[in-house]
């Protein structure tokens, strides 16, 4: 679906440069998360949208399709790591007037291993978010 959205836009007046899979539009969602994880994810996205407003609805998700030229322009400018990396790519894309499309996805929690989301990741996210807010 993501490829179709990008390909269909190539003949349109407004070409889409980045297609984002989103858990937060109709048809999207998560499976296997407890309430705490859902609240943390929604809260992180709300705060990032409020402070940065880059456009897409799922700022911490990383299921995306990039136009090569857009990625080659954006990546050298990105300095963040972790979840802030995902947000900064979208902030940089907006600064360069790249256009976004969205496709609903359902994120299924991992079967093996454990989430990296702990207190340290949340602190790094908040530091990255506020750094982006004050520098972009």
């Amino acid at each position: 679906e993501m490829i179709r959205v990008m390909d269909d836009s190539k003949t349109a007046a407004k070409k889409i440069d980045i297609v984002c899979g989103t858990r937060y539009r109709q048809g999207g969602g998560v499976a296997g998360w407890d309430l705490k994880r859902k609240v943390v994810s929604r809260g992180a996205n709300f705060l990032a949208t409020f402070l940065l407003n880059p456009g897409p609805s799922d700022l911490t998700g990383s299921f995306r399709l990039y136009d090569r030229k857009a990625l080659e322009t954006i990546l050298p400018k990105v300095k963040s790591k972790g979840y802030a990396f995902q947000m900064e790519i979208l902030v940089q894309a907006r600064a360069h007037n790249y256009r976004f499309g969205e496709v609903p996805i359902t994120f299924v929690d991992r079967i093996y291993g454990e989430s990296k989301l702990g207190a340290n990741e949340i602190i790094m996210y908040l530091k990255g978010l506020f750094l982006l807010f004050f520098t972009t």
Side-chain angles (χ1 to χ4, degrees), residues 15-90:
K15 178 181 169 286
I16 293 174
D17 303 292
I18 302 170
V19 181
C20 302
T22 180
R23 300 165 283 181
Y24 304 117
R25 295 271 189 229
Q26 185 173 356
V30 296
W33 280 6
D34 61 16
L35 182 60
K36 177 186 170 191
R37 181 87 187 264
K38 288 178 182 178
V39 169
V40 168
S41 180
R42 281 282 190 176
N45 271 286
F46 173 79
L47 187 58
T49 298
F50 179 76
L51 292 176
L52 305 175
N53 194 26
S57 63
D58 196 344
L59 303 180
T60 58
S62 59
F63 191 62
R64 300 180 185 152
L65 178 64
Y66 296 90
D67 174 79
R68 183 178 178 157
K69 181 180 176 230
L71 198 57
E72 289 174 345
T73 302
I74 297 165
L75 275 184
K77 296 171 178 25
V78 175
K79 295 173 180 54
S80 301
K81 299 201 180 331
Y83 290 106
F85 175 83
Q86 303 301 338
M87 293 182 296
E88 187 176 354
I89 286 178
L90 298 178

Side-chain angles (χ1 to χ4, degrees), residues 119-136:
N120 191 44
E121 281 294 318
I122 292 171
I123 291 168
M124 285 178 51
Y125 162 81
L126 290 171
K127 283 181 180 178
L129 176 62
F130 287 113
L131 181 65
L132 288 172
F133 177 71
F134 288 115
T135 60
T136 57

